[in-house]
Amino acid sequence: MIVVTGAAGFIGSCLLAELQARGYADLVAVDDFSRTDKLPNLEGKRLSARIERSEFLSWLDANENQVQFIFHLGARTDTTEFDKSIFDELNVRYSQEVWRKCVAYGIPLVYASSAATYGAGELGYADDEALVFQLKPLNPYGESKNTFDQWALAQELKPYFWAGLKFFNVYGPNEYHKGRMASVVYHAFNQIGDTGGMKLFRSHKEGVKDGEQARDFVYVKDVCDVCLFLMETRKNSGLYNLGSGRARTFLDLVRNTFKAMGKEEKISFIDTPADIRDKYQYFTEAPMGKLRRV
């Protein structure tokens, strides 16, 4: 069995589809299935079982001898949520329990970290494990991901193979349920289709022009390819960046979306919402050398 937590979510559902396409048949989906808005992501997936997130750890105790690999992608990912206790429970303590089970039962593990751990990029974006304890994330989500990375690195007992993937700005199919947290690509496609134009956040940082905020955007199917590569090779455990390796401005991204849709370019700017303005990453770019050397 291959287990995917967060299976009804954006990346998890795409990973299940890719596993299925490559002939992996014994797949187990773990999620909070009370979120009915995400359930269409599982349509057409041939699953051995659907396990509620709250029941997964006890299920794993009973079925560990059948589990060959765990992709732990389930997490609270809302960067605008500032209740730290939610992240402590779902992104830290729950992930610690999954880790401990993998150690106890000899199960290899790939889990989702995040580029949000890098904060404003004061220390750059190198996936150097020596820097993890110095990083300063900008929000509780990023803090929770970095807290778990720190905890994992400090553990004397680790799964015989493990990898924490620092996802940069992932985009692609099956993110419709993410609302405000969906990618700029998704919002641009829908907003251009609905209104003929696109509104981007105005820059509130000196030296950065409107629309020149830049992120490393990576396609979800490329993310899935890396996940399967790590599962199939299982060497060189550690933390890895997972992006395209190149930052692109929002303006460039949206202009290309207009072009791909065959629409006349119509871009305007609005203020960045006050609740995220001070926690906003103006630049991210993933050095990819470490992963390419695996």
Side-chain angles (χ1 to χ4, degrees):
M1 288 181 174
I2 297 171
V3 174
V4 179
T5 75
F10 169 34
I11 300 174
S13 62
C14 289
L15 180 58
L16 279 176
E18 186 59 26
L19 284 162
Q20 185 174 296
R22 296 194 191 187
Y24 291 98
D26 203 354
L27 306 176
V28 174
V30 178
D31 212 314
D32 173 8
F33 294 111
S34 67
R35 282 283 306 274
T36 56
D37 58 326
K38 298 193 297 182
L39 294 184
N41 280 347
L42 294 180
E43 290 179 2
K45 307 297 190 298
R46 297 187 297 273
L47 302 171
S48 297
R50 297 190 188 197
I51 310 298
E52 285 290 336
R53 180 182 65 204
S54 60
E55 299 172 1
F56 172 57
L57 297 173
S58 58
W59 177 92
L60 187 56
D61 288 333
N63 295 275
E64 50 86 12
N65 62 339
Q66 300 180 64
V67 176
Q68 298 170 301
F69 205 96
I70 293 177
F71 291 101
H72 179 41
L73 307 182
R76 182 64 176 265
T77 60
D78 189 347
T79 58
T80 66
E81 173 62 69
F82 289 95
D83 184 346
K84 185 174 180 292
S85 65
I86 294 175
F87 295 105
D88 286 344
E89 177 60 32
L90 296 178
N91 294 4
V92 181
R93 288 192 291 270
Y94 190 88
S95 296
Q96 290 171 344
E97 288 304 310
V98 172
W99 176 284
R100 291 187 182 106
K101 301 288 186 187
C102 288
V103 170
Y105 299 134
I107 302 171
L109 171 70
V110 165
Y111 74 85
S113 182
S114 173
T117 58
Y118 291 117
E122 304 94 332
L123 299 176
Y125 300 90
D127 44 5
D128 181 349
E129 292 168 12
L131 295 177
V132 170
F133 293 85
Q134 302 173 48
L135 296 176
K136 299 177 181 179
L138 294 173
N139 52 51
Y141 166 68
E143 290 171 1
S144 70
K145 288 297 186 179
N146 200 52
T147 294
F148 182 74
D149 288 343
Q150 292 176 343
W151 180 89
L153 291 171
Q155 295 309 294
E156 181 178 349
L157 298 176
K158 297 178 171 66
Y160 76 85
F161 171 76
W162 67 275
L165 300 180
K166 295 196 176 210
F167 296 139
F168 277 66
N169 282 71
V170 187
Y171 69 94
N174 293 8
E175 58 172 319
Y176 60 87
H177 63 280
K178 292 176 67 68
R180 190 177 177 187
M181 291 298 103
S183 71
V184 177
V185 178
Y186 175 85
H187 285 302
F189 178 80
N190 285 296
Q191 197 173 131
I192 293 167
D194 291 342
T195 69
M198 178 62 186
K199 296 178 180 179
L200 288 174
F201 288 156
R202 185 173 287 114
S203 173
H204 299 271
K205 185 175 182 178
E206 187 176 349
V208 179
K209 296 178 181 178
D210 292 345
E212 295 296 321
Q213 304 95 318
R215 299 281 181 87
D216 187 326
F217 298 97
V218 58
Y219 188 44
V220 68
K221 293 187 179 182
D222 293 329
V223 167
C224 293
D225 284 344
V226 171
C227 287
L228 268 69
F229 167 77
L230 291 170
M231 181 185 74
E232 292 168 351
T233 56
R234 304 188 192 189
K235 65 178 183 178
N236 298 342
S237 295
L239 295 175
Y240 293 95
N241 283 337
L242 185 40
S244 70
R246 179 187 176 191
R248 301 285 293 269
T249 68
F250 286 170
L251 205 54
D252 184 34
L253 187 78
V254 170
R255 282 172 172 162
N256 278 281
T257 305
F258 275 104
K259 184 177 179 181
M261 296 176 69
K263 301 282 189 179
E264 182 181 354
E265 188 179 303
K266 183 180 178 183
I267 300 171
S268 58
F269 296 93
I270 59 173
D271 286 344
T272 304
D275 63 333
I276 63 172
R277 193 175 300 173
D278 295 335
K279 308 294 183 181
Y280 192 79
Q281 288 179 305
Y282 273 76
F283 179 88
T284 65
E285 186 172 76
M288 294 296 295
K290 185 178 178 182
L291 183 62
R292 292 187 175 117
R293 290 190 295 270
V294 173

